[in-house]
Amino acid sequence: MWGKRIAVLAVSLLLTGLTASVASAGTGVVPASTSWTSADRGFVLGLDTLCQTANCPQLVRTFDGGTTWTRVKTPPLSVPETDRLRVLFANDAAGMVTDGEQLFVTSNGGTRWEASGLKGTVGALGFDSSGFLAVIYDGTASRLFQRPLWFGTWQPVPGVEIPGQARGEIADGQVSLARFGEENRYWVRSGAGWSEEPAPCDQFAATRLGTVDAARYALCSFDPGFGNMSKEVRRSDGGPFKTVSAPPREGITTGFAVSSEAALVAATGRDWSFVHHGLGEKWDTPFVLGGSPFEDLAFSDVRHATLVRGGPGQEFAEVYRSDDAGLTWRILSV
């Protein structure tokens, strides 16, 4: 197993060495976050090295899978000290960006941005058929807010809140809010609105959510050790969640993505970062790199997935893409 991973690492490091010098040559943007709405259409938010003043956030987009990029008007974000810049688009036109304290929304691909007006720390971001979703901590409680994709104002979702600060987790039709070791609550959305159901993970597990058609998935990560932790993928088809597979213990979980083709888990530990790939109960680890953790792991369709490695101020700041549901990865020059 490790022999295979070392071989993958060697190839990956060679690839990185050959391409890192041109990774930001096109736009001058050092990647911090990425979001894709299809295999060809995506966004990257990061820091602009061409800016005359230090620390200027800049959004760029591609319509051809990352071959070319175009700068997009970017709202006045700050560079976070403890969080990171994040971008999330629901489609080519409707998207959000945040620096952890400010949240901006566009309905026209970035031509115009609107400040959310929400006060507090921005946690999880997401969207579903109801529109944009965001978890906001106001100093007292963490609450789910929603806004239509195209127009309107942010409104709290009645009852979807817990006392204290919770970053939360959002997937299509699902929301989890938790304070580790104290409380873990879970809600689902139906035609009648949001209703609470038993949480897929207990209060001593970190929760990640995913949705594929009518099936709801949760990755429960628990029992952390030195650079590793137990992980269980659980599934609900409308009833209670049941464990369907166990990804490798290697790494502390940093991401989870699932499609009808495969499940992917990003994790980091002991100076290594991993993408574990699962198909049913069988798991392997086809992508291993040293250094910075993987963030923003997500599928844009059944087979295409992307992630960010590291970010501004870290050893690496790179965007990677898979065209075969996570079995192989290649770097994208931004």
Side-chain angles (χ1 to χ4, degrees), residues 76-324:
L77 297 166
S78 299
V79 179
E81 294 182 4
T82 58
D83 205 333
R84 65 187 184 95
L85 297 167
R86 286 179 286 150
V87 58
L88 181 67
F89 270 74
N91 52 52
D92 287 347
M96 300 182 282
V97 293
T98 183
D99 55 17
E101 298 296 331
Q102 302 177 93
L103 178 62
F104 293 90
V105 177
T106 182
S107 298
N108 49 28
T111 301
R112 185 170 63 89
W113 293 90
E114 297 178 12
S116 68
L118 300 173
K119 303 298 183 182
T121 302
V122 182
L125 301 177
F127 57 86
D128 65 7
S129 58
S130 67
F132 289 119
L133 301 168
V135 174
I136 305 295
Y137 171 60
D138 63 5
T140 301
S142 297
R143 297 180 174 88
L144 180 69
F145 286 77
Q146 64 182 8
R147 177 196 183 277
L149 290 182
W150 306 116
F151 60 87
T153 59
W154 289 90
Q155 299 293 330
V157 177
V160 185
E161 62 180 80
I162 65 171
Q165 185 169 9
R167 188 180 183 95
E169 178 74 4
I170 300 173
D172 187 4
Q174 308 179 71
V175 171
S176 172
L177 297 176
R179 295 193 318 276
F180 184 80
E182 299 179 29
E183 188 174 15
N184 193 346
R185 296 174 64 185
Y186 173 77
W187 294 262
V188 298
R189 188 180 186 277
S190 65
W194 292 90
S195 59
E196 188 167 5
E197 293 189 359
C201 310
D202 66 28
Q203 68 268 31
F204 295 102
T207 304
R208 301 273 179 158
L209 299 175
T211 304
V212 179
D213 299 325
R216 291 179 276 142
Y217 289 86
L219 175 71
C220 303
S221 303
F222 54 95
D223 187 27
F226 182 58
N228 58 71
M229 67 193 316
S230 296
K231 307 172 184 72
E232 292 182 355
V233 175
R234 297 174 183 170
R235 171 174 170 155
S236 168
D237 293 300
F241 279 86
K242 298 181 180 179
T243 300
V244 294
S245 65
R249 272 189 59 91
E250 291 161 302
I252 303 299
T253 300
T254 61
F256 174 58
V258 61
S259 76
S260 58
E261 187 87 3
L264 303 176
V265 174
T268 187
R270 299 188 182 184
D271 299 323
W272 299 93
S273 290
F274 313 92
V275 173
H276 303 303
H277 172 274
L279 196 62
E281 296 183 2
K282 181 181 178 181
W283 287 83
D284 55 12
T285 307
F287 190 43
V288 184
L289 286 177
S292 307
F294 301 144
E295 302 280 0
D296 289 356
L297 175 67
F299 279 104
S300 58
D301 61 24
V302 172
R303 294 186 60 80
H304 294 90
T306 49
L307 58 80
V308 169
R309 180 192 187 200
Q314 300 186 45
E315 183 181 3
F316 298 98
E318 301 165 335
V319 178
Y320 284 83
R321 168 189 174 109
S322 173
D323 300 326
D324 53 13

